[in-house]
Amino acid sequence: MSSTTIELRGLRVLGSHGVLAEERSQLQPFELDIDLTLVDGAGDVDAIDDTVDYGRVAEKAAQIVRQSSHHLLESLAGEVAEALLEEPLLDSVTVAVRKLRPPVPLDLASAGVRTTRRRDGQRT
């Protein structure tokens, strides 16, 4: 049994997510890291048809951040993960979402969450 994971790091997208009204009324930067674990055997040969197009995956994730609106990062990460898991060669997806300007009165670089969805329906 083999396991291949495609890693996407630092996808930056503007969106309007948050609990506070000002967070939802104007665009703010979010950063995503995405791990795509392929089903057993996918990606073992040098053919694009046997893997996942990470450009398409990144665009799908960016579109969700741009077009949806969530109060919680947990909910946003879950929506992205569920949408990406629709790719047929994926066994699991892990999505980390970071808010790069969290609304706290401290010097905090980011606040974020990480969620994993598996094709068998398990969540972590």
Side-chain angles (χ1 to χ4, degrees):
M1 185 168 144
S2 66
S3 177
T4 301
T5 300
I6 298 171
E7 299 178 352
L8 306 178
R9 296 291 179 259
L11 175 62
R12 292 195 176 196
V13 185
L14 295 176
S16 57
H17 308 278
V19 173
L20 304 175
E22 57 267 22
E23 292 179 287
R24 298 170 68 77
S25 67
Q26 54 189 321
L27 296 176
Q28 57 184 308
F30 292 86
E31 185 174 75
L32 286 77
D33 292 337
I34 301 169
D35 292 336
L36 308 165
T37 302
L38 304 178
V39 296
D40 189 30
D44 286 352
V45 296
D46 193 23
I48 190 67
D49 291 339
D50 293 326
T51 191
V52 174
D53 179 346
Y54 58 79
R56 183 178 64 238
V57 166
E59 183 52 46
K60 185 184 278 189
Q63 184 177 19
I64 291 169
V65 174
R66 281 189 217 111
Q67 295 179 354
S68 67
S69 184
H70 292 267
H71 286 103
L72 301 178
L73 293 178
E74 294 89 327
S75 177
L76 174 59
E79 181 182 352
V80 171
E82 292 291 339
L84 298 184
L85 200 54
E86 293 173 2
E87 292 286 332
L89 295 176
L90 291 180
D91 185 48
S92 68
V93 176
T94 299
V95 176
V97 177
R98 287 180 296 283
K99 184 178 289 192
L100 300 180
R101 294 187 198 140
V104 296
L106 300 165
D107 185 11
L108 181 62
S110 67
V113 300
R114 177 180 312 270
T115 190
T116 299
R117 298 290 195 274
R118 291 179 171 62
R119 187 160 304 283
D120 62 13
Q122 292 183 359
R123 297 179 180 196
T124 58

